[in-house]
Amino acid sequence: MSAPVRRTGGRSAAVLSSIRFAVEELVRERGAEKVTIPLVAERAGVNPTSVYRRWGDAATMLNDIATYRLDPARELPRTGDLRADLIAWCREIVEHYRKPINAALLRGGSASAGEQETECLRNRRAEGLAIAGEAGALDADDIIDGLVGPIVYRAIFLPWTLDEDLPVRLVDKVLAA
Amino acid sequence: MSAPVRRTGGRSAAVLSSIRFAVEELVRERGAEKVTIPLVAERAGVNPTSVYRRWGDAATMLNDIATYRLDPARELPRTGDLRADLIAWCREIVEHYRKPINAALLRGGSASAGEQETECLRNRRAEGLAIAGEAGALDADDIIDGLVGPIVYRAIFLPWTLDEDLPVRLVDKVLAA
């Protein structure tokens, strides 16, 4: 019996990073709907099996890679001014999806959504609640319906409307209601 | 020179109907992301060329077929009670996307969104404005951010939350803001 293979963080992090790079390049070149796991594996120089093992299918892979840049461990705006913090947080999300590659990945990933809540959505809701929930100002539905939902909807269907005023407009509406 | 071929509404309507039926069957069987134009043409018994000519690619086809049931020529709720009319209209959209086939088609179609406004979105916004715009109660952004966006976002990412209370909750929020 051989000892179990030890995976170093360094090596698997490098593999993951080359897969992400390959996905982003291929989405730019061909559009999200034409990106397949064999293509990604070839471009990244990894075995397709390890891509399948991690994500199962191309849509799940896109969904995951679409959102890793909004690192859930990043620092949130917490100045104590609820309105300003919410606006700053929405701005981050809007800025994220103003990048065509992120919007394309979101669209590609939405094809695989619907059977369970995505990690990304869970993270955004937790962040929104961390900013506004303690104060009792907003609940999870307010955050989904008033902030995350409209931003993501526009990113998918009306990306040219993700303008600078959007965060202020949404936050003022959700705080007024 | 031969006379141009005359297309009767009856024949092309029948072809369209068999294509729609084939798409819905295939989405149910395999999931939207595995539905291709050749598969649809074969199942519908039509020439793939005529499917390509009409929609160009599978995602555009799905996008179009996802929404034809919300016929823009149907009658809108217009009792004169703005709140009740908006709630009834949102209920129709929620009911539409509570059907798993419609939500699956929406997800498949969202992959092709983003370069121009979809017919479906334009129709929903026009309907919302027809109900609430004249009264000066809501503008196009209110309808997108307050009603259509959250419903479609939930249909894509959180379909199990499309519950009966959602229309009332959204309409009351948008009218309060």
Side-chain angles (χ1 to χ4, degrees):
Chain A
M1 232 174 82
S2 61
V5 177
R6 195 162 60 96
R7 298 196 183 193
T8 68
R11 178 155 190 285
S12 66
V15 167
L16 185 55
S17 156
S18 70
I19 292 173
R20 282 174 179 156
F21 190 80
V23 169
E24 295 188 351
E25 235 179 32
L26 287 163
V27 168
R28 243 182 238 113
E29 288 170 21
R30 313 180 177 221
E33 71 280 15
K34 302 229 170 65
V35 175
T36 64
I37 286 183
L39 274 175
V40 168
E42 194 200 347
R43 179 71 60 98
V46 303
N47 195 313
T49 317
S50 46
V51 188
Y52 281 112
R53 203 185 305 123
R54 185 176 187 109
W55 288 293
D57 58 54
T60 306
M61 174 186 71
L62 289 172
N63 214 349
D64 191 51
I65 288 179
T67 56
Y68 84 96
R69 284 182 192 284
L70 283 174
D71 175 4
R74 77 193 186 289
E75 211 166 324
L76 294 175
R78 299 293 289 273
T79 65
D81 176 342
L82 179 65
R83 178 172 177 271
D85 289 349
L86 284 171
I87 290 171
W89 176 67
C90 288
R91 260 197 231 290
E92 277 183 12
I93 304 176
V94 168
E95 283 309 313
H96 179 77
Y97 289 122
R98 277 166 70 105
K99 299 195 180 98
I101 180 70
N102 293 329
L105 284 164
L106 172 69
R107 279 179 216 115
S110 66
S112 77
E115 288 188 18
Q116 49 184 33
E117 190 170 9
T118 66
E119 197 60 36
C120 170
L121 170 51
R122 223 188 325 267
N123 290 339
R124 295 297 87 68
R125 193 173 52 199
E127 288 168 7
L129 283 172
I131 296 171
E134 288 161 28
L138 302 180
D139 65 16
D141 284 330
D142 294 325
I143 288 161
I144 290 174
D145 294 324
L147 304 175
V148 178
I151 293 172
V152 170
Y153 177 82
R154 286 181 182 269
I156 294 176
F157 296 101
L158 297 165
W160 56 90
T161 70
L162 286 177
D163 55 48
E164 290 198 359
D165 304 336
L166 183 63
V168 173
R169 218 169 63 224
L170 294 178
V171 168
D172 282 342
K173 275 184 199 168
V174 85
L175 290 178
Chain B
M1 231 175 82
S2 60
V5 178
R6 196 163 59 96
R7 300 198 179 189
T8 68
R11 175 153 193 287
S12 68
V15 167
L16 186 55
S17 156
S18 69
I19 292 173
R20 282 175 179 156
F21 190 81
V23 169
E24 296 188 351
E25 232 178 36
L26 287 163
V27 168
R28 244 183 237 111
E29 288 170 21
R30 310 179 179 222
E33 73 279 13
K34 302 229 171 64
V35 174
T36 64
I37 286 183
L39 274 175
V40 168
E42 195 200 347
R43 179 72 59 97
V46 303
N47 194 312
T49 317
S50 45
V51 187
Y52 281 113
R53 204 185 305 123
R54 186 176 185 108
W55 287 293
D57 57 53
T60 307
M61 175 185 71
L62 288 172
N63 214 348
D64 191 52
I65 289 180
T67 56
Y68 84 97
R69 285 183 193 284
L70 283 174
D71 176 4
R74 77 193 187 290
E75 212 165 324
L76 294 174
R78 298 295 287 271
T79 65
D81 176 342
L82 179 65
R83 177 171 177 271
D85 288 349
L86 284 171
I87 291 171
W89 177 66
C90 288
R91 259 197 232 292
E92 276 182 12
I93 304 176
V94 167
E95 283 309 313
H96 179 77
Y97 288 123
R98 277 166 69 106
K99 297 190 182 105
I101 180 71
N102 293 330
L105 285 164
L106 172 69
R107 277 178 218 117
S110 66
S112 77
E115 290 189 16
Q116 49 185 34
E117 191 171 10
T118 66
E119 198 60 35
C120 169
L121 170 52
R122 224 187 326 268
N123 290 340
R124 294 298 85 69
R125 194 173 49 198
E127 288 169 7
L129 283 172
I131 296 171
E134 289 162 28
L138 302 179
D139 65 16
D141 284 331
D142 294 326
I143 288 161
I144 289 174
D145 294 325
L147 304 176
V148 177
I151 293 172
V152 170
Y153 176 82
R154 286 181 183 268
I156 294 176
F157 296 101
L158 298 165
W160 56 92
T161 69
L162 287 177
D163 56 49
E164 289 198 1
D165 303 337
L166 183 63
V168 173
R169 217 169 64 223
L170 294 177
V171 168
D172 282 343
K173 275 184 199 168
V174 85
L175 290 177

